[in-house]
Amino acid sequence: MLLQFLLSNYKMNEPIRKADMLKIVHKRYREQFPEILRMASVSLDLVFGLELKEIKPNSQSYTLVSNSDDTGDGSLSSAWQFPTRGILIPLLGVIFFRYNCAPEKDIWEILNMWGIYDGQRHVIFGEPRKFITQDLVNEKYLEYRQVPNSDPPRFEFLWGSRAHAEISKMKVLEFWSKINNTSPRDFPCHYEEALRDEEERAQATAATMAGTTSKSTGDSRATCSHYSHPE
């Protein structure tokens, strides 16, 4: 409830007051409010890419600020522009930990943990099913397909081509390690795969740079040849 309240205020561009947050928390748990707020802040940071900041010291009024510069269109995010792809890393993490192919039910289980439910409009993402099966698929961050020979039909998620190009498996592994208060090395199989991914990315980058350098050298020689004259 508190998490939904914070996101709603963010979406409506309204200040967040401690007094209003206390109304959300049952009086039985008021003494644990600092810890409840801390846990909500962690979820906002890790899952939604938002940071809870006090407006002024001892003001007991807060605001949520995007901690990501990426809005998906190449421009810098403003303080009140929600990073809609903040949920992407957690989803990619579920897929990665399911050996790169996650059943749809596993995706919904993790979304339910963060207050995102199938068929229930979300204050930020709108209709969640459309968001993950159409929007993120159309942007090629996710692949959504029917499990072969499944009857009744079952579906699964994979990384899309754009996710493979823009997001490293090590970054996803570091996210899950942080959220579970562990280290990437605590997941040896996935850590080895992430290392291989890092190596392949480095090799691809080196090959691209070498190709660019070679092309530049060739162009330079062609230019010199074009302007040279026999004696």
Side-chain angles (χ1 to χ4, degrees):
M1 289 293 292
L2 179 59
L3 189 61
Q4 293 298 315
F5 170 78
L6 294 171
L7 289 173
S8 178
N9 278 40
Y10 175 81
K11 182 71 172 181
M12 299 299 293
N13 194 4
E14 295 178 351
I16 300 165
R17 299 180 179 86
K18 182 178 179 180
D20 294 331
M21 289 191 285
L22 285 170
K23 293 176 183 178
I24 301 297
V25 178
H26 194 282
K27 61 181 180 181
R28 183 183 304 174
Y29 304 105
R30 295 277 171 82
E31 292 183 0
Q32 286 79 44
F33 175 75
E35 178 62 16
I36 294 173
L37 182 60
R38 187 193 69 79
M39 293 174 62
S41 298
V42 170
S43 294
L44 287 167
D45 178 23
L46 295 178
V47 179
F48 297 99
L50 297 169
E51 182 179 358
L52 184 67
K53 289 186 174 183
E54 193 169 16
I55 296 176
K56 293 180 180 180
N58 302 316
S59 66
Q60 298 191 341
S61 292
Y62 303 82
T63 185
L64 284 170
V65 180
S66 171
N67 58 20
S68 171
D69 288 337
D70 182 13
T71 63
D73 59 4
S75 63
L76 295 178
S77 62
S78 67
W80 295 104
Q81 186 171 17
F82 185 79
T84 56
R85 296 193 183 91
I87 198 70
L88 181 62
I89 296 297
L91 294 182
L92 294 177
V94 175
I95 297 169
F96 182 38
F97 274 87
R98 298 301 186 275
Y99 299 97
N100 300 309
C101 184
E104 183 176 357
K105 67 179 183 63
D106 291 0
I107 294 294
W108 285 112
E109 284 178 4
I110 197 70
L111 289 176
N112 291 171
M113 290 175 57
W114 294 317
I116 303 172
Y117 301 95
D118 188 10
Q120 182 175 319
R121 188 172 181 81
H122 190 266
V123 64
I124 298 298
F125 301 112
E127 208 296 298
R129 174 168 290 277
K130 177 180 179 295
F131 182 70
I132 66 172
T133 65
Q134 295 182 37
D135 297 345
L136 290 178
V137 170
N138 290 338
E139 293 183 13
K140 301 188 184 303
Y141 281 111
L142 294 178
E143 180 181 343
Y144 181 63
R145 70 185 187 188
Q146 183 177 340
V147 177
N149 304 317
S150 59
D151 186 20
R154 290 179 290 108
F155 293 84
E156 59 191 5
F157 285 89
L158 297 84
W159 284 35
S161 58
R162 193 170 174 184
H164 281 291
E166 297 179 7
I167 303 168
S168 72
K169 291 181 177 180
M170 187 62 75
K171 179 179 180 180
V172 172
L173 184 57
E174 288 171 348
F175 165 84
W176 278 101
S177 299
K178 185 176 181 180
I179 205 172
N180 288 288
N181 196 28
T182 58
S183 164
R185 294 178 181 272
D186 291 332
F187 307 95
C189 292
H190 297 90
Y191 182 68
E192 289 296 327
E193 183 175 348
L195 285 178
R196 289 194 298 271
D197 180 60
E198 292 288 288
E199 183 177 351
E200 291 170 1
R201 288 174 178 275
Q203 291 174 352
T205 300
T208 300
M209 293 179 64
T212 301
T213 302
S214 176
K215 183 178 184 303
S216 298
T217 302
D219 291 345
S220 175
R221 289 174 178 172
T223 302
C224 291
S225 175
H226 178 74
Y227 286 104
S228 61
H229 300 278
E231 295 181 3

